[in-house]
Amino acid sequence: MILEITGSDALKVLNNLTTNQLADLAVGHLCETFVTDLRGWTVAHGFIHHTESGVLLLGQHPQPEVVCNHIDRYIVREDARVKNLSVNHALLLVDGAADDAMLKKTLRNTLSGLMAEPLTDWHSLLCPMLSPTSQLCYGPADMSIAAAFQKLSGSESLHACYELLRIRNFWPRMGQDIGEKCIPQELDRDAQAISFTKGCYLGQETIARLDARGQLQKKLCRVRIVADGIQPQASVQQGEKEVGQITSAAYDPVEEVTYALAFIRRGSFEPGTELHCQKALATVLPPR
């Protein structure tokens, strides 16, 4: 998803619709945030990048046009225009610090030879989605680039590597880990993506009330499962009681365990809690 918001009030509009403090975001910088609706539910999750020509919202979303329309709905008299660039631009996420030989080899072999010419008019940003040093690249995509990216997305080995890195680095994916009725605090990225001191924004009342009460009933957690073959929607149990459900899972052939993201209920989501998934030991890990 690549959305562009231009006009003198572009940053102001997004600041009124997102959870993080964007008012003083300097040109060239980016900031992780959630786009929320009136009820405080997550509409999108990603990065705001302040450029010299406007503001970009970069992230993963199955329907970028829905997010585009959501932002446009709240532009009334402001000098701002929103455009969906996803149809003719592309995102490329590159990890520069894959921490084992298997991942590095798979990434290198898959990427090798795909691009006959270097990408021009593209931008690269330090973006800690896969690791502290991963890079988020974006730019216009012609037919040859689109074909190369289609080949990339169709690589099962590369997809498996990406999922493992994403899950181990605790990066939730819209439409998979983030559902339609998900409050940002349930995704446990408060420190990175939520400001509790900024001015009013859409959905702030719900988010502030939940923060004040401290009664989070469920939370997305990283889980380490001593088993293979774990799939999304698998049940997580504490004794005979179901306390959660897997949303994403990826097997690590080096450690011979599965790393997963799962929504776990209150009382069972503290790091170090030992649960079970398909009769295998499942340990709740710190977010990162």
Side-chain angles (χ1 to χ4, degrees), residues 164-171 186-189 192 219-226 236 246 248-250 252 255 257-264 268-276 281-288:
L164 180 56
L165 287 168
R166 177 181 74 83
I167 292 168
R168 288 200 311 200
N169 203 51
F170 195 64
W171 186 263
E186 294 176 337
L187 299 166
D188 205 14
R189 299 194 66 81
Q192 300 94 333
K219 187 167 66 174
L220 191 68
C221 300
R222 279 199 318 148
V223 182
R224 184 178 184 273
I225 307 169
V226 189
V236 179
I246 302 294
S248 293
D252 185 338
E255 296 185 30
V257 298
T258 293
Y259 283 93
L261 298 182
F263 273 108
I264 306 294
S268 302
F269 57 46
E270 293 300 322
T273 303
E274 292 188 349
L275 308 170
H276 288 87
L281 177 63
T283 305
V284 178
L285 304 175
R288 192 58 181 165

Side-chain angles (χ1 to χ4, degrees), residues 26 28 39 76 78 90 112 127 130 137 175 182 185 223 225 230 232 277:
R39 293 160 292 190
V76 183
E78 295 86 356
S112 178
C127 180
L130 302 184
C137 309
C182 186
Q185 285 106 312
V223 182
I225 307 169
I230 305 296
C277 181

Side-chain angles (χ1 to χ4, degrees), residues 44-59:
H45 172 233
F47 287 95
I48 299 295
H49 178 40
H50 192 184
T51 72
E52 293 183 355
S53 58
V55 185
L56 295 175
L57 174 58
L58 309 170

Side-chain angles (χ1 to χ4, degrees), residues 198-233:
K198 68 177 284 188
C200 294
Y201 60 90
L202 196 67
Q204 183 192 32
E205 183 178 354
T206 300
I207 294 167
R209 184 169 60 246
L210 182 58
D211 179 61
R213 293 178 178 177
Q215 295 293 318
L216 201 61
Q217 298 304 309
K218 64 177 180 178
K219 187 167 66 174
L220 191 68
C221 300
R222 279 199 318 148
V223 182
R224 184 178 184 273
I225 307 169
V226 189
D228 191 4
I230 305 296
Q231 298 295 323
Q233 300 186 351

Side-chain angles (χ1 to χ4, degrees), residues 41-230:
W41 290 340
T42 300
V43 175
H45 172 233
F47 287 95
I48 299 295
H49 178 40
H50 192 184
T51 72
E52 293 183 355
S53 58
V55 185
L56 295 175
L57 174 58
L58 309 170
Q60 294 176 302
H61 198 288
Q63 296 178 296
E65 195 63 35
V66 170
V67 186
C68 187
N69 292 337
H70 172 77
I71 295 172
D72 186 61
R73 186 180 304 121
Y74 290 96
I75 299 175
V76 183
R77 296 182 179 179
E78 295 86 356
D79 176 26
R81 295 159 296 281
V82 57
K83 183 178 181 180
N84 179 18
L85 300 183
S86 309
V87 293
N88 55 13
H89 285 64
L91 287 171
L92 177 62
L93 186 60
V94 179
D95 178 55
D99 55 6
D100 61 66
M102 181 276 295
L103 289 175
K104 287 182 178 179
K105 181 179 178 180
T106 302
L107 288 168
R108 183 177 64 249
N109 290 347
T110 307
L111 290 168
S112 178
L114 281 179
M115 309 307 299
E117 300 291 338
L119 297 177
T120 57
D121 298 323
W122 273 59
H123 304 273
S124 179
L125 305 165
L126 183 65
C127 180
M129 289 174 64
L130 302 184
S131 75
T133 59
S134 61
Q135 298 282 327
L136 184 63
C137 309
Y138 68 88
D142 59 18
M143 293 300 291
S144 63
I145 294 175
F149 281 15
Q150 184 66 32
K151 185 175 181 179
L152 277 175
S153 63
S155 168
E156 292 185 7
S157 58
L158 188 61
H159 177 73
C161 287
Y162 165 76
E163 282 294 283
L164 180 56
L165 287 168
R166 177 181 74 83
I167 292 168
R168 288 200 311 200
N169 203 51
F170 195 64
W171 186 263
R173 186 171 185 172
M174 197 78 196
Q176 186 166 334
D177 307 299
I178 308 175
E180 293 182 358
K181 298 181 179 180
C182 186
I183 299 173
Q185 285 106 312
E186 294 176 337
L187 299 166
D188 205 14
R189 299 194 66 81
D190 296 12
Q192 300 94 333
I194 303 177
S195 169
F196 294 101
T197 59
K198 68 177 284 188
C200 294
Y201 60 90
L202 196 67
Q204 183 192 32
E205 183 178 354
T206 300
I207 294 167
R209 184 169 60 246
L210 182 58
D211 179 61
R213 293 178 178 177
Q215 295 293 318
L216 201 61
Q217 298 304 309
K218 64 177 180 178
K219 187 167 66 174
L220 191 68
C221 300
R222 279 199 318 148
V223 182
R224 184 178 184 273
I225 307 169
V226 189
D228 191 4
I230 305 296

